[in-house]
Amino acid sequence: MGGGITGALVAHAFATAGISTTVLEAAAVGRGSTAASSALLLKEPDLELTQLTNRYGVRRSRRIWELSHQSVDQLIALLKRRRIRCDLKMRDAVYYATTAQAAERLRQEHELRARLGFESEWLGPVRLRRLTGITGHGAVLTKASAQFDPYRACVGILRAASAAGAHVFERSEVRRIEKTPDGVCISTRHGTLHADRVVIATGYATPRFRPLAGRFRMYRTYVLATEPLDIGQRDDVGLSDVMVWDTERPYHYARWTPDHRLLLGGGDRLVKPGQQRGQHSGTAARDLRAYFDAQLPALATVRTERVWEGLFAVTADSLPYIGPHRRYPRHWFALGYGGNGMTFGSLAARLLLERWQGVKSRDHALFEFARLRRP
Ligand SMILES: Cc1cc2nc3c(=O)[nH]c(=O)nc-3n(C[C@H](O)[C@H](O)[C@H](O)COP(=O)(O)OP(=O)(O)OC[C@H]3O[C@@H](n4cnc5c(N)ncnc54)[C@H](O)[C@@H]3O)c2cc1C
């Protein structure tokens, strides 16, 4: 249920494993959060390793980080193996500190990453400026992350899933799911489908799963795309071909597109009850521009050409829910990725396929609903 990048990756994993698979998408595939995404494929999750170890201890946190790294590598390998044309580019990621205090914390984060075996390179202010044009107080560089066009990637993965036998239906909103003695009966306006399991890949808990809504905080997140810059303008801006994000919360991030635009994003805002879509997009976009104009002063003469916003769901520990929920027999969920939907969507495909194949591993418990006490 859901034909975004998660549904696509799950369908691909299951279909290529020889399992009969159907994707039901309410609207058009890849047009939800996936199309809105700025698609920084980062190995480092939103939650710093230091924060995660405070919550879950070293062993568990190291494993979560390892899985996040592996998921990025696996998604990149899949896109390459299936020759999916989606402007995939390997990029280093630079996570920079905007204040001296943040730099001190970031230095500890860097040391912990290195101690636990994760590749991490410290950049002092001079190297940071040389690489990014940004005047910050220090940064951590992570190699071999990537960026891509998420919509084309999603469609390409679904094509590969179809070639492996998956059926993909658009304009097929799931309206009812009923338990049967040996599975589920899934109804759309056009017909019904009997399945052993249903995977809920709708990004967050839709109204159908209202009892789960309390497990997510919903945020609006904003992106702007500048006009294309010529080589001289790019040099003046000073940001090389790396992806950057900062230690502020909510964070800000930037990356180049293949046609030399800058994508500037972040500045997420909590969705309040009754708040309408688009209500704050004007001020949010202005704030984002003001932030980056201060970081990269040569941007001041560059026009913003497009602005958009999207929704994402964040869980209490910033990790997704991947797996069953006791209230919903024969359902598996893959929801609540925060800003790491590309990385964790890939992980969801792997973990759910393992479940199907009866593989028992401690990895599953790391992302189960049961790890956090809620209804
Ligand atoms: C602006 C923005 C920037 C982002 N930037 C990044 C980034 O740089 N890096 C990163 O890793 N992540 C990023 N994310 C997060 C990432 O894009 C999402 O987590 C990811 O796309 C979620 O994919 P999904 O397939 O789970 O959900 P979606 O792409 O939202 O797909 C869910 C699908 O379910 C369908 N659906 C809903 N209800 C039903 C129903 N009843 N029946 C059938 N279908 C249904 C919807 O129509 C939709 O197509 C960003 C998100 C946004 C909004």
Side-chain angles (χ1 to χ4, degrees), residues 229-239 256 298:
L229 278 68
D230 61 33
I231 289 177
Q233 286 174 305
R234 273 192 69 148
D235 285 349
D236 289 346
V237 169
L239 177 64
W256 290 106

Side-chain angles (χ1 to χ4, degrees), residues 1-7 24-28 30-34 36-40 172-174 201-203 206 208 221 223 253 308-312 334 337-343:
M1 175 171 158
I5 192 94
T6 307
L24 298 173
E25 163 53 47
R31 295 280 183 190
S33 305
T34 296
S37 181
S38 26
L40 281 73
S172 299
E173 182 190 1
V174 173
T202 51
T206 55
R208 164 171 313 282
T221 180
V223 186
Y253 60 85
W308 65 94
E309 65 176 60
L311 269 184
F312 64 50
Y337 305 106
N340 302 113
M342 306 292 142
T343 306

Side-chain angles (χ1 to χ4, degrees), residues 116-343:
L116 297 195
F118 298 103
E119 201 219 305
S120 177
E121 189 178 333
W122 180 257
L123 303 179
V126 175
R127 283 186 68 204
L128 170 65
R129 192 175 169 113
R130 209 177 299 138
L131 196 61
T132 66
I134 291 170
T135 308
H137 292 254
V140 169
L141 182 137
T142 306
K143 287 200 181 301
S145 291
Q147 64 178 53
F148 62 108
D149 177 330
Y151 174 72
R152 288 169 65 200
C154 178
V155 171
I157 295 164
L158 279 170
R159 280 211 185 100
S162 289
H167 302 283
V168 181
F169 294 96
E170 296 187 302
R171 290 175 294 284
S172 299
E173 182 190 1
V174 173
R175 296 191 161 177
R176 207 170 48 231
I177 304 174
E178 288 165 306
K179 194 180 162 322
T180 62
D182 57 354
V184 279
C185 176
I186 304 166
S187 306
T188 72
R189 192 157 56 90
H190 311 290
T192 57
L193 184 88
H194 295 272
D196 194 283
R197 305 265 153 184
V198 56
V199 174
I200 310 301
T202 51
Y204 46 88
T206 55
R208 164 171 313 282
F209 298 101
R210 202 178 299 282
L212 302 183
R215 288 179 168 267
F216 303 95
R217 272 171 298 137
M218 299 302 299
Y219 285 86
R220 273 190 208 293
T221 180
Y222 304 88
V223 186
L224 18 126
T226 67
E227 61 184 327
L229 278 68
D230 61 33
I231 289 177
Q233 286 174 305
R234 273 192 69 148
D235 285 349
D236 289 346
V237 169
L239 177 64
S240 64
D241 264 334
V242 292
M243 306 182 293
V244 291
W245 63 303
D246 69 11
T247 49
E248 299 203 354
R249 292 296 178 269
Y251 54 67
H252 308 85
Y253 60 85
R255 74 160 172 94
W256 290 106
T257 63
D259 60 348
H260 309 290
R261 298 167 194 274
L262 257 183
L263 284 190
L264 308 173
D268 311 344
R269 294 175 184 214
L270 189 64
V271 176
K272 307 228 174 78
Q275 190 179 306
Q276 300 300 309
R277 188 176 167 193
Q279 198 174 328
H280 296 299
S281 53
T283 42
R286 273 194 296 281
D287 290 352
L288 255 180
R289 258 318 289 246
Y291 172 82
F292 278 107
D293 288 353
Q295 300 294 322
L296 301 166
L299 271 185
T301 56
V302 175
R303 268 186 318 115
T304 296
E305 222 168 64
R306 295 268 190 284
V307 177
W308 65 94
E309 65 176 60
L311 269 184
F312 64 50
V314 180
T315 63
D317 60 1
S318 295
L319 298 173
Y321 290 118
I322 302 171
H325 187 282
R326 58 186 161 71
R327 202 185 252 269
Y328 300 99
R330 294 200 173 249
H331 288 57
W332 284 342
F333 293 85
L335 305 172
Y337 305 106
N340 302 113
M342 306 292 142
T343 306

